[in-house]
Amino acid sequence: MSSYVYDSSLSWSDYLQAKSFVDDISTSSREAGRRVSMEISRQTREVIASNESLAREKIQMMEANTDRITSGLADIDSTLNAGFDRLSYHLQDISSGISELNASFHWGFSQLIAGIGHMNDALSELIKIAKTPVQTVAFNHFEIARDAFRKGLLQESLEELDKAIQGDHTSPGYKLEWRFHNLVGVIRLGDIEHHERALMDLTKAEESFLLAARYAKTDYPDDAARAFLSAGWAAYCQGKMKEALAHTEQALLLHPELGEALFQAAKVRMALGEVDKALPALGKAIDLDRFYALKAAGDGDFQKHDDRLREFLEAIRKEKYRQSVPKVEAALEKIKFWREHIADAKNNPFALRMEAFLKEGSSWPLMDMLAVVQPLDTSIVECLTSGTGIVITIVIGSISHTGQEPYQEEETYQEEVLIKPGGIFRKPVTEMKTQTRMVTKLRKLTRNLEAIRDEIYSGKGKLITSIDFCKIPAGQFMMDENGRQREVTITTDFYLGKYPLTQAQWQAVMGNNPSYFKGDLNLPVENVSWDDCQQFLKKLNDMIGKKLFRLPSEAEWEYACRAGSTGKFCFGDEERKLREYAWYADNSGIKTHPVGQLKPNAWGLYDMHGNVGECCDEGDNDISKTIRVLRGGSFHDHPNYMHCAYRGIFVSSYRVFNVGFRCAQDIR
């Protein structure tokens, strides 16, 4: 069972070598830490989730002390009926929402910590921030160290890191770069796949992570928080509970919504027996992502206090139900007319689940309840039906378009005021007085933008696929055409796909997958021509009996991409920030990536720069009717092709491995 527990019979070093751990984590590391197994008592599991809920979340059940995995509901029921009190659950892709890390953080996070945040900045970006030749030399050693780490050459990686920090025969080294110390900490903590025990040194790991946190704190607070979190884990593995808690709380000061820090703080307090202080922290983690309830139930430190944990989760479950009943009633009222007047809508699965929630939800487990309630921060606002299909449009919240605006505020301050002047033989008499003054400050300027989800059903009520959209407000912008700018007005609001169309969505409608890059259906569909896109849209519109979905015009695309920006990119002109928003030649590995992994623009649109080039309507009609326009650049391109205004052209019938599209629609 992969659950390292304080005061267990295994040391951290021995634990890393335990066969059960290696079997779990060797797979986990290769899959970016998204698969772990844990053993949970039946009683606690029944408070957290039903068998049906676990199956819906792709969580597999395995009989304790056996190798038999059960994934279907029938198998799960038969396993429970066989009398097993403790079952092991295999969690596969449990949630992309678990903070910025994931469920297996405590079971082996060397690869993970080394590859997230600004640890992954390209050498070209690091060289730009180097202020001296010494720093440039140090960053070059760091790049070699990272390459060695990726290849599993950990000793060589440490040697290069030492040169970066301490220097070599050509340079004195640069000690103040947090990335260097962070990677040292990762290696000293104990690498999972390569098991180089001789390099493991938990004391040095803790020291290195603390140095990384100290040096990152000002410019990279989120990375500093993760470094403090890692230092906390290194301290925990040494049995230094006081230090583990202090480091973890430092992480929370920098990043209050770092779910893993909340969970780790709760875990350490549980190990210390401070149950009353541990459970509120766990509650905050569960508010961020419901799967922390399951993770706690499978953790050895929590299992020492299983009865208290179960009572706490039961209390959360009851309170969530009390808060949720009015939301569910309001949502059902909004769709009452739709269910009374549209064929097959009465038996819509989600509506039936809401009705069941009102009748029986008081006894439902926590995760079952939240699966119904969480979408109800949203409300169904419109339903369309015609011919063979139904489109249900669900409002799924709002997107904050946040900028800054100046404002004046009165401020008080202390000033030393002269009461009596001094002389040759006496000091002046002064007094501290409170004064006021007007100062100019900046505050966030928030504009809420509607986001919707279109769920496309067949005439028989079967969900075919769903597409998320963001509402783009009408407005004006300066559009670049052939090196000249002209003012363009978008006269009406419209909807634009939140993400490029995925392979899953294409396959659901077209029944095939033409993409060159495969292996994850959340990858954008590519290797499609402009003509293929039109065929997809026609078939989708035929399904619902209404001409609703289309490609965006070129002007709409650029306007939405900019989201108010007048710079080269949606975030301004700083090219070094591009890797935070786009998959392109410098960071993509020359392949596509699942949509929505990087930052969105100010209007909530993901992957507008990079990943795949996107087909648009209304190209330059002076060229040819067979020539179409691409926008956004792709994983294969360099930054100059990522500009908001950059336009590529291609033949409408050509299929290219870096070309895809996103859907648009008019306001209905």
Side-chain angles (χ1 to χ4, degrees):
M1 179 179 69
S2 295
S3 180
Y4 182 65
V5 185
Y6 171 62
D7 203 25
S8 68
S9 59
L10 289 177
S11 69
W12 174 246
S13 177
D14 292 338
Y15 174 65
L16 290 180
Q17 302 302 312
K19 183 178 185 301
S20 63
F21 174 83
V22 174
D23 288 346
D24 288 337
I25 297 302
S26 59
T27 299
S28 178
S29 293
R30 284 194 298 271
E31 297 180 0
R34 296 293 299 282
R35 181 182 179 91
V36 297
S37 66
M38 52 181 66
E39 191 175 288
I40 300 173
S41 70
R42 177 201 293 262
Q43 297 95 323
T44 301
R45 192 274 302 163
E46 287 174 347
V47 174
I48 296 172
S50 68
N51 302 330
E52 292 80 4
S53 174
L54 294 172
R56 280 195 301 270
E57 301 288 356
K58 301 179 183 178
I59 297 175
Q60 299 175 309
M61 182 182 296
M62 186 174 72
E63 296 175 11
N65 303 317
T66 78
D67 293 326
R68 192 170 83 86
I69 295 176
T70 61
S71 56
L73 289 177
D75 285 340
I76 290 175
D77 287 334
S78 65
T79 302
L80 289 172
N81 293 334
F84 289 94
D85 288 328
R86 300 185 71 80
L87 298 166
S88 176
Y89 293 90
H90 278 241
L91 281 63
Q92 182 78 43
D93 292 334
I94 63 172
S95 174
S96 61
I98 287 193
S99 189
E100 298 170 41
L101 305 176
N102 58 51
S104 63
F105 183 84
H106 290 152
W107 290 270
F109 53 81
S110 295
Q111 301 285 353
L112 196 65
I113 287 292
I116 61 177
H118 289 278
M119 278 294 290
N120 212 24
D121 284 350
L123 178 61
S124 59
E125 299 299 317
L126 298 178
I127 295 299
K128 289 178 183 177
I129 64 175
K131 297 178 181 178
T132 67
V134 168
Q135 286 176 266
T136 301
V137 171
F139 279 132
N140 276 288
H141 283 302
F142 176 60
E143 180 65 10
I144 297 170
R146 284 196 302 193
D147 189 52
F149 179 85
R150 285 190 289 267
K151 294 175 180 176
L153 304 173
L154 303 187
Q155 179 63 53
E156 290 80 357
S157 182
L158 280 178
E159 290 169 1
E160 291 297 325
L161 289 167
D162 186 64
K163 292 176 184 177
I165 297 168
Q166 302 296 338
D168 57 15
H169 65 284
T170 65
S171 172
Y174 183 63
K175 298 179 181 180
L176 305 184
E177 175 51 51
W178 68 272
R179 296 171 180 85
F180 305 167
H181 300 283
N182 207 65
L183 189 51
V184 171
V186 167
I187 296 171
R188 290 300 188 188
L189 190 62
D191 186 69
I192 305 310
E193 291 197 29
H194 307 291
H195 314 299
E196 297 193 26
R197 300 178 72 179
L199 300 180
M200 188 188 307
D201 188 322
L202 292 173
T203 301
K204 288 184 179 179
E206 182 184 358
E207 292 172 354
S208 295
F209 284 129
L210 289 176
L211 284 172
R214 179 183 176 190
Y215 297 144
K217 195 172 181 180
T218 300
D219 295 329
Y220 302 95
D222 287 355
D223 290 288
R226 287 187 283 264
F228 272 125
L229 179 63
S230 303
W233 182 246
Y236 173 94
C237 294
Q238 297 171 76
K240 296 163 56 179
M241 296 294 110
K242 181 179 178 181
E243 290 84 352
L245 189 58
H247 301 336
T248 307
E249 288 178 341
Q250 283 292 315
L252 285 169
L253 285 174
L254 290 171
H255 196 336
E257 293 191 351
L258 184 56
E260 281 297 334
L262 288 164
F263 181 86
Q264 184 162 289
K267 175 179 171 67
V268 174
R269 289 194 182 278
M270 278 292 197
L272 292 171
E274 299 176 1
V275 180
D276 291 336
K277 294 181 179 180
L279 293 175
L282 175 62
K284 291 179 181 178
I286 292 171
D287 283 341
L288 290 174
D289 194 296
R290 64 185 182 273
F291 286 97
Y292 278 114
L294 198 60
K295 183 174 179 180
D299 184 274
D301 287 312
F302 285 91
Q303 288 177 346
K304 293 176 182 177
H305 307 278
D306 197 47
D307 289 344
R308 293 289 305 279
L309 174 64
R310 187 162 57 251
E311 289 173 6
F312 177 70
L313 295 175
E314 174 65 15
I316 290 179
R317 189 191 68 78
K318 289 180 178 178
E319 179 60 18
K320 293 292 184 186
Y321 176 75
R322 185 190 67 78
Q323 295 173 354
S324 301
V325 167
K327 290 184 180 180
V328 176
E329 290 175 339
L332 282 170
E333 183 63 29
K334 286 185 178 180
I335 61 173
K336 181 179 179 181
F337 178 84
W338 166 67
R339 298 187 72 203
E340 290 175 350
H341 293 83
I342 296 179
D344 300 320
K346 184 174 180 59
N347 295 320
N348 174 266
F350 188 68
L352 292 175
R353 283 173 64 199
M354 287 194 287
E355 288 182 338
F357 174 86
L358 293 178
K359 293 177 182 177
E360 336 166 330
S362 60
S363 62
W364 284 9
L366 180 62
M367 285 177 60
D368 296 58
M369 186 183 303
L370 293 178
V372 172
V373 173
Q374 285 177 345
L376 295 185
D377 292 326
T378 73
S379 55
I380 300 174
V381 296
E382 184 179 358
C383 307
L384 301 172
T385 182
S386 178
T388 60
I390 301 170
V391 176
I392 303 172
T393 302
I394 303 176
V395 175
I396 58 174
S398 62
I399 299 157
S400 293
H401 172 204
T402 304
Q404 289 186 318
E405 64 176 356
Y407 70 101
Q408 294 286 314
E409 182 176 89
E410 188 177 83
E411 178 182 82
T412 61
Y413 66 99
Q414 295 294 311
E415 186 177 83
E416 191 174 21
V417 178
L418 180 66
I419 304 298
K420 264 186 192 179
I424 296 175
F425 300 106
R426 70 173 185 272
K427 294 181 180 180
V429 178
T430 62
E431 183 178 303
M432 296 301 294
K433 288 193 174 182
T434 300
Q435 308 279 26
T436 61
R437 62 189 173 194
M438 296 301 294
V439 295
T440 300
K441 294 185 177 181
L442 292 175
R443 64 186 171 198
K444 289 183 177 179
L445 175 64
T446 300
R447 175 186 188 184
N448 289 327
L449 301 178
E450 180 185 295
I452 66 168
R453 171 171 296 152
D454 274 349
E455 293 186 347
I456 294 92
Y457 286 82
S458 69
K460 296 181 179 179
K462 180 181 178 182
L463 179 65
I464 299 171
T465 191
S466 63
I467 305 175
D468 290 333
F469 289 89
C470 293
K471 186 176 181 179
I472 309 301
Q476 294 178 326
F477 75 109
M478 298 304 293
M479 184 173 180
D480 192 296
E481 289 187 344
N482 300 319
R484 293 176 297 177
Q485 288 196 326
R486 66 181 179 92
E487 186 175 79
V488 173
T489 300
I490 304 298
T491 56
T492 59
D493 298 354
F494 66 99
Y495 289 118
L496 186 63
K498 188 174 184 179
Y499 313 102
L501 196 86
T502 66
Q503 295 178 21
Q505 291 164 333
W506 178 281
Q507 191 165 294
V509 174
M510 303 300 285
N512 59 46
N513 185 355
S515 303
Y516 178 81
F517 297 99
K518 294 179 181 176
D520 185 335
L521 289 176
N522 282 323
L523 291 169
V525 69
E526 26 78 15
N527 204 31
V528 292
S529 67
W530 187 91
D531 294 338
D532 293 333
C533 298
Q534 297 299 326
Q535 289 299 313
F536 171 89
L537 295 167
K538 181 179 184 303
K539 187 167 183 179
L540 189 60
N541 288 328
D542 287 346
M543 283 180 171
I544 64 172
K546 183 180 179 71
K547 192 172 181 180
L548 183 63
F549 302 103
R550 59 179 176 81
L551 290 178
S553 71
E554 197 180 355
E556 286 175 332
W557 191 97
E558 183 176 334
Y559 174 68
C561 178
R562 290 187 177 281
S565 170
T566 58
K568 295 177 182 177
F569 308 106
C570 68
F571 50 83
D573 291 317
E574 296 178 76
E575 190 176 300
R576 65 183 179 84
K577 289 186 177 180
L578 183 60
R579 65 186 310 105
E580 299 176 24
Y581 294 83
W583 296 111
Y584 61 111
D586 286 1
N587 69 347
S588 70
I590 313 303
K591 62 181 181 181
T592 58
H593 291 260
V595 301
Q597 289 190 330
L598 301 179
K599 289 183 178 179
N601 71 5
W603 288 350
L605 300 168
Y606 290 81
D607 298 315
M608 292 298 282
H609 301 295
N611 218 355
V612 290
E614 299 183 13
C615 298
C616 293
D617 266 341
E618 297 182 16
D620 189 338
N621 292 326
D622 293 336
I623 301 175
S624 167
K625 289 293 184 183
T626 63
I627 300 298
R628 300 296 175 180
V629 172
L630 284 176
R631 287 298 199 125
S634 76
F635 67 86
H636 191 263
D637 296 321
H638 293 282
N640 286 343
Y641 300 94
M642 301 288 124
H643 295 179
C644 296
Y646 179 80
R647 63 200 303 260
I649 58 173
F650 74 124
V651 177
S652 63
S653 60
Y654 280 11
R655 298 185 177 100
V656 188
F657 69 99
N658 64 341
V659 173
F661 69 106
R662 73 179 70 213
C663 295
Q665 57 172 290
D666 296 321
I667 299 295
R668 306 192 288 275

